[in-house]
Amino acid sequence: MAAHRQNRPWGGGTVERAKGEAPDYVADCYLCPGNVRVSGRRNADYASTYVFDNDMPCASPEAPRDLAKPPGIYRNQPAEGLARVVCYSPRHSLTLAELGLDEVEELVRVWQGQYEELGARPEVKHVLIFENKGEAVGVSNPHPHCQIYATNFVFKYIETEARVSQRHLQETGRVLFQDILAAEREDGRRIICENDTAVAFVPYFARYAYEVFVAPKRTRPSVAALTERERRDFADVLRRVVIRFDNLWRMPFPYVMPLHQAPTDGGDYRGFHFHVEFHPPLRRPNLLKYLAGPEIGGGNFLSDTSPEEKAQELRAAGEVHYKHLGEGGEG
Ligand SMILES: [Zn+2]
Ligand SMILES: [Zn+2]
């Protein structure tokens, strides 16, 4: 933490706010209902969520298998799997924060189905579901969607989380994430919102100014393991968090949002506690957190802000989306 640095002079890059509102339908959007994608395939005339195989997949069953043997100490293996896209809504301009609770719950239901279906494939060892939102993280198409990479390898953060969770369980008999939740609850200053079975907080160890974790209160290794009640509650807290994000500066709030779930490689993941992480790149409305010397060069995050202050800002941001204010009611 180096919160005293946050007001240092800045003469570098800023991020412009998008101007105007995007329409509900855009003829050349590859995600809008009924449109033809780059592959020549046509989207269904969908009415809620819509899942399709990514036309330009990072992981594919057609990935090259015969790799050249690397020299010396180096090792390689074919990266196989499937990549999919999930549209949240047929409406081009809506973001996750503007969806109703039923729609967010429907999205969580889709995540459950995808994790189960893809995770059951013998070659798939892990299902990474994530949303990149906003031009600040390289997404130019505002159509609300997330991506799924189902791969024959486990992504690095998941591998680390699974390993340390397992070790903590062996050493203490406790679930690591439960100890984190207990510490957050004991302190209380970084908790954003909660209901009976789900909670959102800025972790003590937040790397980004507005980093937020959303998790069920009971340990579930994946989104698919949530009960019906927990699914509804999880959707509720998730929605309240993204509304607060948008309300913070009254603008669509950019982030990278991965679901951290147990691998599907048949291992023992009783200590793994499913959660969603938000990694928002902005420190202020037009100011990016650059990853530089300490982060890229040294491998440690230097946070210029205090997580307690940022949690307080998010708590104060309100749970009715700013675009719905004045409509009377929840919107
Ligand atoms: Zn669209
Ligand atoms: Zn995580």
Side-chain angles (χ1 to χ4, degrees), residues 203-247:
Y204 179 79
F205 49 84
R207 291 151 288 185
Y208 293 89
Y210 297 96
E211 184 166 329
V212 170
F213 281 26
V214 180
K217 291 181 178 175
R218 291 196 60 178
T219 295
R220 308 291 186 202
S222 73
V223 69
L226 298 180
T227 65
E228 270 180 48
R229 167 90 191 285
E230 286 171 328
R231 178 175 63 212
R232 183 79 173 176
D233 281 355
F234 187 84
D236 171 57
V237 171
L238 189 73
R239 177 170 176 268
R240 288 156 66 187
V241 166
V242 289
I243 289 173
R244 286 169 181 280
F245 277 154
D246 274 16
N247 283 350

Side-chain angles (χ1 to χ4, degrees), residues 23-33 35 43 46 87 89-93 141-144:
D24 271 353
Y25 170 80
V26 169
D28 63 356
C29 168
Y30 67 100
L31 300 171
C32 275
N35 286 359
N43 291 334
Y46 64 97
C87 296
S89 163
R91 291 178 61 187
H92 183 82
S93 65
N141 187 341
H143 199 120

Side-chain angles (χ1 to χ4, degrees), residues 102-133:
D102 287 347
E103 293 165 297
V104 178
E105 190 186 3
E106 172 58 24
L107 174 62
V108 177
R109 194 181 286 119
V110 168
W111 288 342
Q112 291 182 312
Q114 291 294 313
Y115 179 86
E116 280 187 332
E117 181 201 326
L118 294 167
R121 296 174 71 106
E123 78 277 23
V124 170
K125 298 203 166 120
H126 178 243
V127 180
L128 182 70
I129 302 175
F130 62 94
E131 177 185 354
N132 299 331
K133 180 188 170 202

Side-chain angles (χ1 to χ4, degrees), residues 185-196:
R185 212 172 287 128
E186 188 186 324
D187 186 315
R189 289 176 298 165
R190 291 173 302 277
I191 294 189
I192 307 298
C193 56
E194 63 185 310
N195 54 29
D196 285 348

